[in-house]
Amino acid sequence: MSETRSPRHFLDLSDAGADAIAAMINDAQDRKAARRDLPKGAADADARLAGRVLAMIFEKSSTRTRVSFDMAMRQLGGSAIVMEAGSMQLGRGESIADTARVLSRMVDAIMIRTDDHAKIEELAANASVPVINGLTDRSHPCQIVADLLTVIEHGKALPGLEVAWLGDGNNVLHSILEAAGLMKFNVRVGCPSGYEPEAEFVRMAEAGGARVDVTRDAVAAAKDADVIVTDTWVSMGQEHASAKLDAMQPFRVDAALMAQAKPDALFLHCLPAHVGDEVTQDVIEGPQSVVFDEAENRIHAQKSILRWAFGQL
Ligand code: CP
Ligand code: NVA
């Protein structure tokens, strides 16, 4: 008999909504604090996903997403199977729909990192277990749950927060914009012409009540910000086009740009970083940088995303 209840997919932050994201962040903080003295691979006392298995499919490279989901499942008492798409029948042309239906009979949830967002939509449409977006060319919602957790842990409230994004208008920025509309913070995007975020995400943020400014002036973007965020100028699957790298030069986050932000501003980067390109060594290694808290928080955020997908939050 086939599963009749609709699974809770997490393809983008709006699938969960503001209340669930707030619940995820609270849960992540509580669970992080409760297991402070446990070895990293030990299960949480309540092992809320005991017996559950997550299948992970990677069509692109990953360090943090791969390890944090695996560790999240271990800490919740479950386990994970990691598959490179190239070593699956998917890589030889088996359909996404069949892959979804087969995996749904075998595992309890699926996480996928892929290129075209339409692929994850097709996977979700054919899966009877939750599907989680581990990054597509369009968005990276799991990263942003970890980022919001990091910002809150460092004492900042989300409503009214001034977030400055410098550089490429990419998948990570799209999820920040989606989060801005849901959690009511403002985003100033400093980017070169032609590298803006998709208008749909700006509209989404504004429709939620966020203020979004897109400017060609890096200093104006960074001025009095609470949080400065950047990411690689060349995302996975993109060309290292010299015209793009030239256009990005004024948007490098260096000490002078950081100094435009509030004195207690945080520096975030989802990593991997390309030091010397989008950020200078002194900034990423400096006192305002919280990039390794942000990386660790991927585990704590994934756990709460998984718990939400399984209907526990
Ligand atoms: N930030 C992030 O998603 O890192 P990985 O590409 O290593 O998973
Ligand atoms: N924008 C980057 C994020 C990597 C985690 C990329 O898509 O490659």
Short mmCIF file of all heavy atoms in Angstrom, two decimals, residues 1 63 104 207 232 305 312:
data_model
loop_
_atom_site.label_atom_id
_atom_site.label_comp_id
_atom_site.label_asym_id
_atom_site.label_seq_id
_atom_site.Cartn_x
_atom_site.Cartn_y
_atom_site.Cartn_z
N MET A 1 0.84 -1.19 0.00
CA MET A 1 0.00 0.00 0.00
C MET A 1 0.89 1.26 0.00
O MET A 1 1.92 1.29 0.66
CB MET A 1 -0.88 -0.01 1.25
CG MET A 1 -2.28 0.48 0.98
SD MET A 1 -3.41 -0.01 2.27
CE MET A 1 -2.89 1.00 3.62
N THR A 63 31.41 19.36 1.98
CA THR A 63 32.05 18.93 3.24
C THR A 63 31.06 19.12 4.38
O THR A 63 30.66 18.17 5.04
CB THR A 63 33.34 19.75 3.50
OG1 THR A 63 34.24 19.49 2.44
CG2 THR A 63 33.98 19.36 4.83
N SER A 104 11.93 5.98 -1.37
CA SER A 104 10.83 6.16 -0.41
C SER A 104 10.40 4.83 0.23
O SER A 104 9.86 4.80 1.33
CB SER A 104 9.61 6.78 -1.10
OG SER A 104 9.90 8.08 -1.53
N ALA A 207 7.53 41.42 0.17
CA ALA A 207 6.13 41.04 0.46
C ALA A 207 5.97 40.65 1.93
O ALA A 207 4.90 40.83 2.52
CB ALA A 207 5.70 39.89 -0.44
N THR A 232 31.45 32.78 -1.95
CA THR A 232 32.32 32.67 -3.13
C THR A 232 31.77 33.48 -4.30
O THR A 232 30.55 33.60 -4.46
CB THR A 232 32.47 31.19 -3.54
OG1 THR A 232 33.32 31.11 -4.67
CG2 THR A 232 31.13 30.55 -3.88
N ILE A 305 15.85 20.78 11.53
CA ILE A 305 15.17 20.67 10.22
C ILE A 305 14.64 19.24 10.07
O ILE A 305 13.50 19.03 9.65
CB ILE A 305 16.15 21.03 9.08
CG1 ILE A 305 16.52 22.52 9.15
CG2 ILE A 305 15.54 20.68 7.72
CD1 ILE A 305 17.71 22.91 8.29
N GLN A 312 8.04 16.48 14.19
CA GLN A 312 8.29 16.59 15.63
C GLN A 312 8.34 18.04 16.11
O GLN A 312 8.44 18.29 17.31
CB GLN A 312 9.59 15.85 16.00
CG GLN A 312 9.51 14.36 15.77
CD GLN A 312 10.78 13.62 16.18
OE1 GLN A 312 11.75 14.24 16.60
NE2 GLN A 312 10.77 12.31 16.05
#
